[in-house]
Amino acid sequence: MVPHGDPTRNTIEELSQLLSPGDVVIDGGNSHFADDQRHAELLTRVGVHYLDCGVSGGVWGAERGYGLMVGGAADVVERCLAIFDALRPPGERADGFVHAGGVGAGHYAKMVHNGIEYGLMQAYGEGYELLQASPVVEDVAGCLRAWTQGTVVRSWLLELLVEALHQTPNLAGISDYATDSGEGRWALIEGIQQAVPMPVLAAALHARFASRQEVSPALQAVAALRDQFGGHGTGPSPAR
Amino acid sequence: MVPHGDPTRNTIEELSQLLSPGDVVIDGGNSHFADDQRHAELLTRVGVHYLDCGVSGGVWGAERGYGLMVGGAADVVERCLAIFDALRPPGERADGFVHAGGVGAGHYAKMVHNGIEYGLMQAYGEGYELLQASPVVEDVAGCLRAWTQGTVVRSWLLELLVEALHQTPNLAGISDYATDSGEGRWALIEGIQQAVPMPVLAAALHARFASRQEVSPALQAVAALRDQFGGHGTGPSPAR
Amino acid sequence: MVPHGDPTRNTIEELSQLLSPGDVVIDGGNSHFADDQRHAELLTRVGVHYLDCGVSGGVWGAERGYGLMVGGAADVVERCLAIFDALRPPGERADGFVHAGGVGAGHYAKMVHNGIEYGLMQAYGEGYELLQASPVVEDVAGCLRAWTQGTVVRSWLLELLVEALHQTPNLAGISDYATDSGEGRWALIEGIQQAVPMPVLAAALHARFASRQEVSPALQAVAALRDQFGGHGTGPSPAR
Amino acid sequence: MVPHGDPTRNTIEELSQLLSPGDVVIDGGNSHFADDQRHAELLTRVGVHYLDCGVSGGVWGAERGYGLMVGGAADVVERCLAIFDALRPPGERADGFVHAGGVGAGHYAKMVHNGIEYGLMQAYGEGYELLQASPVVEDVAGCLRAWTQGTVVRSWLLELLVEALHQTPNLAGISDYATDSGEGRWALIEGIQQAVPMPVLAAALHARFASRQEVSPALQAVAALRDQFGGHGTGPSPAR
């Protein structure tokens, strides 16, 4: 598990000179699936096997087990099953592990997983904000908590949001600056290249981009246009 | 639990003539929160109490308990707790029940819950579609199943999607005509009125609207424009 | 032309007591089309005719003529044509005037016009921002100006943006706080009620809402969630 | 002007062997701006100059002149001005021509231009559709035509839409299958890579993708989920 891009590439190149034929390299980081093809080719030339493994679970995985998505040759996956079984959640293997396909399929699946994650998080965020804005709801945190059992929207992310609100009532002082680690971008770009409509992922990703802007040139243009045709005036906002 | 709108209103009016002071009416249907105000006023005039109760859980609630969000006066909610306790999921009360606020707060919370639901479902749908379109992933259903334990995107809806794919591999023959019961619309309209940005809910709702169109006049206009300036031509689509 | 809502309603009520049968009231403001029905009924009871007239053109209309969209009975529209001809742009009547339909149709058309306007402005804004962010484009204002003749994206709004950039290079100091006068909201709400997919209008409107927030609770929730599962940390943003 | 990708690349390679030092190659097609760097390097090695020129105007350009956006070295641009002046619209040079920056800037600007175009077209399309759906507007085409003079939304694209509706009332029989030539995708991908929020472009592009699907797997998943939790049923749509 090495940061994707150059660090992973350099590590693979180094390993290609150190390992012996029949050895296996498992990239458990967040490489782009196109890199996997290159890394596998590089290692194959020296007889080393390659698996790509998407890993989900965050800081909680150490305790509960990690969801694993693996790409590569079936016999190599088979050979490494004991490793995957040790890392994945207990219970049926298929509930926390998949051999998704050939080289790259593991990281592809992880990329899609993360793309979904963006949409889920933004959906909960929007609902939380609408509750906050409600003229009638008084117990916002209580509503979210009441959804954790029995309801259609129950999920682990919802439980985490309930926990966050318990730790920091009203999320007071928490910045709305939302970074992104890159996999959501890859998922949207891949969607574009496959002509898959992903309006929810796009909306969620763009909301994060916007959250990080000190000033939005696009909205400056909108405000300037309103002034041009309507004489609405522009100037420092009252709020920011 | 009566369909919202006229059926609920008529029932409330009828009950207002049959019930005695001190009685309690609980609207467990999906009324709009603005209707709750009117219904409560109507009943209050004859001394009857009113609670609005959003109920989530679908057809599974009978077995596992329903998530409940209640609006109304605290003493009336208190008086009815035994009813809510009998319906909600077992375990801590606050994990499946909330007294969200005054009259209307229960249905408001349910409306927001459903708005979130739209975003979650579309997020999973988009991810499923990207996996389907992937040039490297071979076991799409296996990926979704592998996410049900340990991963960040695990949820009840994900489990239902896994079950749907188990029952109907590749969702073959399932129509992509996605109806909406109205609460997502209310949530988005309320968001507009409160100036809450809800791009994910909007995207999810619009995707459903589009799914139900035989022909999209907007896209006809786009196609006609492309032909006007580019001579790209128009005509019957190859596919539909 | 009176501000919509109570001011218009009060004026109509007052006029209904002052005018004589056969008189005509023209609401040239931005009333909601549903109000038109009520206003027309109120005036009809005293024999006064009612036309609703959407007016576009902003501060430039005085010079160039206003685009006019009128709703009401054909014979009343006919009777008032001289007024409309005096206000509309010179040239063919149909290029700057329409009798759109019965009562309310004029304001409905104006509402749609404004909904389109939101999308157009945001589209130009996004393009302007991408040019600004470009690693290769050096003359952003020059690009926009070069589009004003001959290109597919030429329009009056584009000319206004070129003018704004001429007056305020880089829009330096112009706030990105973009207000909305309400018609975009009505258009989106009407779209929801008619089940018309309007993803571009929704995106444009939500971008304005977001531009006015000091803090986004939704993005606070997203940031809090990232910290919960990934230990990514939260805190004051570096930029805002 | 050669189709982008391999045809352009092959042509550049061929020219690099035929031309003499000091000659100039102008790529007036729709190449990706990253290709421009490679093409310029290839030609520079043999002393040949390279300009990239984005061209807008469609089939109408021959008559009215083309909007031109050029990238490359200033002295080379200067040398070719007579060519650009012959192609651009009459009037001031800066209203239909820009030297946008170094190599690639011309195609970058054209890419952004096309990205804007997607948003504009979808905005008009949505407005057209809402007028069509209106319960009060009777003369939809008349409304659009009345916007061509004096209004805030007047533009060349609007005039083309009016013309299309004149040629084909109600756009009857025109397919809603909207293709894309690729530059909108590039613009959105570039926006993602520059972290520029482009929700309107994304919405417009995704609407086109969706218009071309016979079946939407994402919406099949949504429909399947609704059936799973709500027993709403699935099946062939009534309409499609």
Side-chain angles (χ1 to χ4, degrees):
Chain A
M1 299 186 87
V2 179
H4 67 77
D6 285 344
T8 292
R9 165 159 310 215
N10 295 340
T11 304
I12 298 278
E13 280 172 3
E14 207 175 329
L15 287 173
S16 73
Q17 294 165 356
L18 298 171
L19 298 180
S20 310
D23 285 351
V24 179
V25 170
I26 305 177
D27 177 359
N30 276 332
S31 293
H32 191 277
F33 70 94
D35 285 348
D36 290 320
Q37 311 294 336
R38 289 190 283 267
H39 298 162
E41 281 166 26
L42 200 151
L43 292 168
T44 298
R45 276 186 232 131
V46 292
V48 173
H49 304 296
Y50 179 80
L51 298 179
D52 56 284
C53 179
V55 177
S56 175
V59 294
W60 296 85
E63 194 178 309
R64 304 191 184 175
Y66 300 94
L68 303 175
M69 301 136 252
V70 178
D75 58 332
V76 185
V77 174
E78 184 73 24
R79 214 175 113 191
C80 300
L81 270 182
I83 297 169
F84 299 130
D85 281 343
L87 289 168
R88 68 169 175 82
E92 281 200 57
R93 182 184 285 149
D95 288 334
F97 168 89
V98 66
H99 176 207
V103 167
H107 282 142
Y108 197 104
K110 178 61 172 12
M111 176 188 76
V112 175
H113 165 283
N114 282 30
I116 292 171
E117 190 183 297
Y118 279 61
L120 303 184
M121 289 166 76
Q122 180 70 18
Y124 286 118
E126 291 177 12
Y128 165 70
E129 183 170 339
L130 187 54
L131 285 179
Q132 287 274 13
S134 166
V136 289
V137 169
E138 293 161 27
D139 187 358
V140 171
C143 286
L144 295 169
R145 185 170 167 198
W147 294 341
T148 55
Q149 296 292 331
T151 73
V152 174
V153 302
R154 66 186 187 263
S155 71
W156 188 57
L157 279 168
L158 178 61
E159 290 169 31
L160 293 181
L161 184 51
V162 169
E163 178 60 24
L165 281 160
H166 177 71
Q167 290 170 12
T168 314
N170 297 312
L171 304 181
I174 290 185
S175 166
D176 63 352
Y177 185 98
T179 48
D180 72 290
S181 56
E183 296 214 59
R185 300 184 189 201
W186 292 346
L188 186 56
I189 290 172
E190 176 67 8
I192 293 166
Q193 279 162 347
Q194 302 292 343
V196 169
M198 303 190 84
V200 156
L201 171 54
L205 186 62
H206 287 140
R208 292 206 191 172
F209 289 167
S211 81
R212 307 203 295 258
Q213 295 189 301
E214 199 168 355
V215 173
S216 158
L219 275 299
Q220 283 183 301
V222 168
L225 279 172
R226 292 191 83 239
D227 181 49
Q228 285 289 327
F229 67 72
H232 296 284
T234 61
S237 95
R240 280 160 58 184
Chain B
M1 299 187 85
V2 180
H4 69 77
D6 285 343
T8 292
R9 165 160 308 215
N10 295 340
T11 304
I12 298 278
E13 280 171 4
E14 207 175 328
L15 288 172
S16 74
Q17 294 165 356
L18 299 171
L19 298 180
S20 310
D23 285 352
V24 179
V25 170
I26 305 177
D27 177 0
N30 276 333
S31 293
H32 191 278
F33 70 95
D35 285 348
D36 291 320
Q37 311 294 336
R38 289 189 283 266
H39 297 162
E41 281 165 27
L42 199 152
L43 292 168
T44 298
R45 279 187 228 130
V46 292
V48 174
H49 304 295
Y50 179 81
L51 298 179
D52 56 283
C53 179
V55 178
S56 176
V59 294
W60 296 85
E63 193 178 310
R64 303 190 184 176
Y66 299 94
L68 303 176
M69 302 135 253
V70 178
D75 58 333
V76 186
V77 174
E78 183 73 24
R79 213 174 116 191
C80 300
L81 271 182
I83 298 168
F84 299 130
D85 281 343
L87 290 167
R88 69 170 174 81
E92 281 200 57
R93 182 183 287 149
D95 289 333
F97 168 88
V98 67
H99 176 205
V103 167
H107 282 143
Y108 197 104
K110 178 62 173 8
M111 176 188 75
V112 175
H113 165 282
N114 282 30
I116 292 171
E117 191 183 296
Y118 278 62
L120 303 184
M121 288 165 76
Q122 180 70 20
Y124 286 118
E126 291 177 11
Y128 165 70
E129 184 170 339
L130 187 54
L131 285 179
Q132 285 275 12
S134 165
V136 289
V137 169
E138 292 160 27
D139 186 357
V140 171
C143 286
L144 294 169
R145 185 170 169 197
W147 293 341
T148 56
Q149 297 291 331
T151 73
V152 174
V153 302
R154 66 187 188 262
S155 71
W156 187 56
L157 279 168
L158 178 60
E159 290 170 31
L160 294 181
L161 185 51
V162 169
E163 178 61 24
L165 281 160
H166 177 70
Q167 290 170 12
T168 313
N170 297 312
L171 304 181
I174 290 184
S175 166
D176 63 352
Y177 185 97
T179 48
D180 72 291
S181 56
E183 296 215 57
R185 299 184 190 202
W186 292 346
L188 187 55
I189 289 172
E190 176 67 8
I192 293 167
Q193 279 161 348
Q194 302 292 343
V196 169
M198 303 190 82
V200 156
L201 171 53
L205 186 61
H206 288 140
R208 290 205 192 173
F209 289 167
S211 82
R212 307 203 295 258
Q213 297 189 300
E214 199 168 356
V215 172
S216 159
L219 274 300
Q220 283 183 302
V222 168
L225 280 172
R226 293 191 82 237
D227 181 48
Q228 284 289 328
F229 68 71
H232 296 285
T234 61
S237 92
R240 280 159 58 184
Chain C
M1 298 187 87
V2 180
H4 68 77
D6 286 344
T8 292
R9 165 160 310 214
N10 295 341
T11 303
I12 298 279
E13 281 172 3
E14 207 175 327
L15 288 173
S16 73
Q17 294 165 357
L18 298 172
L19 298 180
S20 309
D23 286 351
V24 178
V25 170
I26 305 177
D27 177 1
N30 276 332
S31 293
H32 191 277
F33 70 94
D35 286 348
D36 291 320
Q37 311 294 336
R38 289 190 283 267
H39 297 161
E41 281 167 26
L42 200 151
L43 292 168
T44 299
R45 277 187 230 130
V46 291
V48 173
H49 304 295
Y50 179 81
L51 298 180
D52 55 284
C53 179
V55 178
S56 177
V59 293
W60 297 85
E63 192 179 310
R64 305 191 183 176
Y66 300 94
L68 303 176
M69 303 136 251
V70 178
D75 57 335
V76 186
V77 173
E78 184 73 23
R79 215 176 113 192
C80 300
L81 269 183
I83 298 168
F84 299 131
D85 280 344
L87 290 167
R88 68 169 175 81
E92 281 201 56
R93 183 184 286 148
D95 289 333
F97 168 88
V98 67
H99 176 206
V103 167
H107 282 142
Y108 197 103
K110 178 63 172 12
M111 176 188 77
V112 175
H113 165 283
N114 283 30
I116 292 171
E117 189 183 298
Y118 279 62
L120 303 184
M121 289 165 74
Q122 180 70 19
Y124 286 117
E126 291 176 12
Y128 165 70
E129 183 170 339
L130 187 54
L131 285 179
Q132 285 275 13
S134 166
V136 289
V137 169
E138 292 160 27
D139 187 357
V140 171
C143 286
L144 294 170
R145 185 169 168 198
W147 295 341
T148 56
Q149 297 292 332
T151 74
V152 174
V153 302
R154 65 186 187 262
S155 71
W156 188 56
L157 279 167
L158 178 61
E159 289 169 31
L160 293 180
L161 184 52
V162 169
E163 178 59 26
L165 281 161
H166 177 70
Q167 290 171 11
T168 314
N170 297 311
L171 304 180
I174 289 184
S175 166
D176 62 352
Y177 184 98
T179 48
D180 72 291
S181 56
E183 295 214 59
R185 299 185 190 202
W186 291 346
L188 187 55
I189 289 172
E190 176 67 7
I192 293 167
Q193 278 161 348
Q194 302 291 345
V196 169
M198 302 191 84
V200 157
L201 171 54
L205 186 63
H206 288 138
R208 291 207 192 170
F209 289 168
S211 82
R212 308 204 294 257
Q213 296 189 301
E214 199 167 357
V215 172
S216 158
L219 273 300
Q220 282 183 302
V222 168
L225 279 171
R226 292 190 83 239
D227 181 48
Q228 285 288 328
F229 68 71
H232 295 284
T234 62
S237 92
R240 281 161 59 182
Chain D
M1 299 187 86
V2 180
H4 68 77
D6 285 344
T8 293
R9 166 160 309 217
N10 294 341
T11 304
I12 298 279
E13 280 171 5
E14 208 175 326
L15 288 172
S16 73
Q17 293 165 357
L18 299 172
L19 298 180
S20 309
D23 286 351
V24 179
V25 170
I26 304 177
D27 177 0
N30 277 332
S31 293
H32 191 278
F33 70 94
D35 285 349
D36 291 320
Q37 311 294 337
R38 290 190 282 267
H39 297 162
E41 281 167 26
L42 200 150
L43 291 169
T44 298
R45 275 186 231 130
V46 292
V48 174
H49 305 295
Y50 179 81
L51 299 179
D52 56 284
C53 179
V55 178
S56 177
V59 292
W60 296 84
E63 192 179 311
R64 304 191 184 176
Y66 299 94
L68 303 176
M69 302 136 251
V70 177
D75 58 333
V76 186
V77 174
E78 185 72 24
R79 213 174 115 193
C80 300
L81 270 183
I83 299 168
F84 298 130
D85 281 343
L87 290 167
R88 67 168 175 82
E92 281 200 57
R93 182 184 287 149
D95 289 333
F97 168 87
V98 67
H99 176 206
V103 167
H107 282 142
Y108 197 103
K110 178 62 171 15
M111 175 188 76
V112 175
H113 164 283
N114 284 30
I116 292 171
E117 189 183 297
Y118 279 61
L120 304 183
M121 289 166 75
Q122 180 70 18
Y124 286 118
E126 292 177 13
Y128 165 71
E129 182 170 341
L130 187 55
L131 285 179
Q132 285 276 14
S134 166
V136 288
V137 169
E138 293 161 27
D139 187 358
V140 171
C143 286
L144 294 170
R145 185 169 168 198
W147 294 341
T148 56
Q149 296 292 330
T151 73
V152 175
V153 302
R154 65 187 188 261
S155 71
W156 188 56
L157 279 167
L158 178 61
E159 290 170 31
L160 294 181
L161 185 51
V162 169
E163 178 59 24
L165 281 160
H166 177 71
Q167 290 171 11
T168 314
N170 297 312
L171 304 180
I174 289 185
S175 166
D176 63 352
Y177 184 99
T179 48
D180 72 291
S181 57
E183 296 213 58
R185 300 185 189 202
W186 291 347
L188 187 56
I189 289 172
E190 177 66 8
I192 294 166
Q193 278 161 348
Q194 302 291 344
V196 169
M198 303 190 83
V200 157
L201 171 54
L205 186 62
H206 288 138
R208 292 207 191 170
F209 289 167
S211 82
R212 307 203 295 258
Q213 295 189 301
E214 200 168 355
V215 173
S216 158
L219 273 300
Q220 284 184 301
V222 168
L225 279 171
R226 292 191 83 239
D227 181 49
Q228 285 289 327
F229 67 71
H232 296 284
T234 61
S237 93
R240 279 159 59 183

